[in-house]
Amino acid sequence: MTRPHCPRTLAVLARWLLGTGLVTWRYLWETTPLHRSGECRGDETDLPPQLPPEAVDSRVQLPQDGWGPLYHRLFRVRIADADVGPGRLIEWVCCDFKRFVPAEVVDVHTGELRDQGLDVADELLVEMPGPWNGPVRVVHRDVDRLHLVTLRGHMEAGQVQFRAREDDGLLVFEIELWACPGNRLVHLLYSRLRVAKETQLNMWVRFCLSAAAISGGRPVDGVHISTRWLESSGRAPARPPSSAGRHVPGGTPSQGATPTRGIGERGGDRNHRRRGSG
């Protein structure tokens, strides 16, 4: 290892040894109620939104490039007495993403951003402990939503959305993910041993609580988490982007929607053997 890499390596090791311990301690003593609905098998409404064709290139890591089942997770916090509206909160996420993540274990690197912060085609690197980083790219941004897709080398293969809206006088912030484990080892840690899954849960819970604090409000009833999983051995249509990450009754794709490859299949080849299970 060359000398210039030593400080960076030491920083990663420090986050792994000290940061992970601190995050675990805080998680064990977290007083915010976490409402975890029972994990269950999903259906076609749990498929990810259709990505714009121009957003997909050889670096994009789609669910069908991963291992094992597709996990659909939703994290939601309802915020009372917020000082800002949905648009302003999402603007802060786009302009200062690093402010929302647990800094003791995660670092975020972006290129030089414009005044409006993250926008379509921008990339950021979420540096995590262990052998994986989290490169992602922005595929959509509007006034109340930021939509990212994972890139090669990410520990997951899929998409994530950050959304904000008003509901019955409250500010509602949501993080919704559709992803498979990125490789065989992550599949073991995520699906079997559940270590990576609980680490992910802690990170996004912290993100939701940061959103509440930064908005100037307070969580009304803690953070709500739902997890559904889906396996498909055939060709399954992705939901249209107009669904904005929300469930579509019956999971019927819009007319003309391009079908995606089945989860666990490369290139849509039905003869390709599934690489992961349950």
Side-chain angles (χ1 to χ4, degrees):
M1 180 180 297
T2 59
R3 183 170 298 179
H5 293 294
C6 289
R8 185 178 184 88
T9 301
L10 291 174
V12 171
L13 289 174
R15 278 201 303 277
W16 174 251
L17 296 174
L18 302 178
T20 303
L22 181 57
V23 166
T24 302
W25 176 262
R26 288 180 174 176
Y27 177 70
L28 291 174
W29 290 96
E30 178 61 65
T31 58
T32 301
L34 302 182
H35 306 279
R36 303 174 65 162
S37 61
E39 186 173 320
C40 64
R41 183 184 294 271
D43 54 34
E44 60 267 30
T45 64
D46 294 290
L47 291 168
Q50 182 77 45
L51 289 173
E54 64 273 12
V56 180
D57 59 23
S58 61
R59 294 184 58 224
V60 169
Q61 191 161 267
L62 298 171
Q64 53 266 34
D65 299 316
W67 293 73
L70 173 77
Y71 287 94
H72 178 200
R73 309 190 85 181
L74 178 65
F75 298 79
R76 176 185 293 123
V77 61
R78 300 165 68 239
I79 306 167
D81 304 322
D83 296 330
V84 299
R88 184 60 172 161
L89 181 56
I90 293 300
E91 183 181 352
W92 282 343
V93 171
C94 294
C95 291
D96 198 3
F97 194 92
K98 185 174 181 176
R99 186 179 176 188
F100 291 78
V101 301
E104 63 272 19
V105 72
V106 174
D107 199 7
V108 177
H109 302 276
T110 63
E112 186 174 344
L113 300 178
R114 296 173 288 276
D115 291 342
Q116 70 271 25
L118 292 167
D119 210 339
V120 174
D122 285 338
E123 297 183 6
L124 65 157
L125 179 68
V126 181
E127 193 173 73
M128 299 174 287
W132 303 284
N133 288 324
V136 292
R137 178 187 297 159
V138 180
V139 294
H140 181 83
R141 178 190 171 180
D142 57 32
V143 67
D144 59 1
R145 179 162 52 111
L146 176 68
H147 190 169
L148 309 176
V149 66
T150 59
L151 301 177
R152 297 292 178 186
H154 200 291
M155 67 182 298
E156 293 184 290
Q159 305 176 38
V160 57
Q161 286 187 1
F162 304 86
R163 301 191 298 266
R165 57 186 170 86
E166 291 182 347
D167 183 29
D168 197 22
L170 298 175
L171 176 62
V172 180
F173 181 75
E174 297 176 327
I175 304 171
E176 190 164 15
L177 307 97
W178 303 264
C180 293
N183 56 49
R184 189 193 300 269
L185 179 56
V186 178
H187 176 42
L188 172 65
L189 294 174
Y190 194 102
S191 306
R192 304 299 188 189
L193 301 180
R194 305 179 67 89
V195 174
K197 183 183 290 185
E198 293 303 305
T199 301
Q200 181 196 70
L201 181 141
N202 178 52
M203 176 175 172
W204 295 130
V205 165
R206 288 280 299 278
F207 203 108
C208 287
L209 295 178
S210 294
I214 291 169
S215 74
R218 55 181 175 81
V220 172
D221 54 355
V223 179
H224 291 254
I225 306 120
S226 69
T227 302
R228 291 159 64 91
W229 57 273
L230 177 67
E231 293 186 70
S232 173
S233 58
R235 296 173 69 89
R239 291 186 294 112
S242 59
S243 65
R246 297 172 177 84
H247 283 256
V248 177
T252 304
S254 62
Q255 185 175 1
T258 304
T260 64
R261 292 165 281 174
I263 306 303
E265 290 185 272
R266 281 194 177 274
D269 182 358
R270 293 178 183 270
N271 295 322
H272 186 86
R273 184 178 179 182
R274 277 191 57 83
R275 295 177 293 170
S277 61

